[in-house]
Amino acid sequence: MTPLSDMRRWGGAALLLLALAVGTGCPAKPARLADPTAPPSGYQRQIMLVVETPNFKPVAGAEVSIETEAPTRLISPENGRGRTDARGGLLMVFEPLPHYDEAVLAGGDVLADFPIQARVTVRRGQQMLADRVLSDRETFARYADPLYQALNRDPEAGVSYYNIILP
């Protein structure tokens, strides 16, 4: 008997065993490992807004509104409105989308900026105390050339501070 005739004899059973061994449908996706050349997904930028008087006393209870520009998304405070605490602070959490530098991709490098553009308005009652533009940028960099790998960097993970000193 030849292998071909053997296969015909066992026909359906062999195909069933083959299907079970190989799997059916779409192949399962392998577990995704962390890619060291990719910027972090879902990166969030935390910035503590601190509002103070010219003699550095905190301005507690001030109403703050934050309006972001695309591609930045504001996570907190909800609806872009919050109030400073007893220390004049308000934690703002942004989710900026990465902007890739496509010119360096051909060389194997990965550079991505995480820009934030927001307008921060501080009020107390009907009185506007401050109206400022917050412009922030964090960078992710991975260089393919070992000579430049010391310049690799991740975007800031901790809380940064943005002070507004009232006039």
Side-chain angles (χ1 to χ4, degrees):
M1 235 186 220
T2 67
L4 183 59
S5 64
D6 220 13
M7 187 70 158
R8 284 185 188 146
R9 196 172 88 175
W10 291 98
L15 286 175
L16 178 62
L17 285 174
L18 181 64
L20 289 173
V22 174
T24 57
C26 297
K29 292 182 181 176
R32 184 179 172 139
L33 301 175
D35 182 357
T37 63
S41 61
Y43 171 67
Q44 293 184 350
R45 179 89 168 101
Q46 298 180 32
I47 299 176
M48 176 64 76
L49 172 70
V50 179
V51 181
E52 299 174 325
T53 63
N55 59 354
F56 305 107
K57 289 186 179 179
V59 177
E63 300 166 19
V64 178
S65 63
I66 303 120
E67 298 173 21
T68 60
E69 294 180 19
T72 303
R73 190 168 73 100
L74 182 67
I75 304 295
S76 176
E78 225 174 291
N79 300 321
R81 304 215 181 280
R83 221 174 254 289
T84 57
D85 62 16
R87 290 183 265 168
L90 174 68
L91 182 64
M92 302 180 292
V93 181
F94 299 93
E95 189 173 64
L97 294 177
H99 175 74
Y100 291 91
D101 183 349
E102 294 178 14
V104 302
L105 290 174
D109 299 333
V110 179
L111 293 175
D113 284 330
F114 291 86
I116 294 175
Q117 290 289 323
R119 177 168 294 282
V120 178
T121 306
V122 180
R123 295 181 179 274
R124 180 169 281 157
Q126 297 298 324
Q127 181 184 10
M128 181 185 298
L129 303 176
D131 186 24
R132 306 280 162 74
V133 174
L134 168 66
S135 183
D136 185 73
R137 179 178 310 272
E138 284 295 320
T139 302
F140 173 90
R142 290 295 182 271
Y143 296 97
D145 188 331
L147 185 62
Y148 297 106
Q149 287 179 356
L151 300 174
N152 288 351
R153 63 187 173 276
D154 291 326
E156 179 67 42
V159 177
S160 294
Y161 291 85
Y162 182 71
N163 288 8
I164 293 180
I165 307 295
L166 299 178

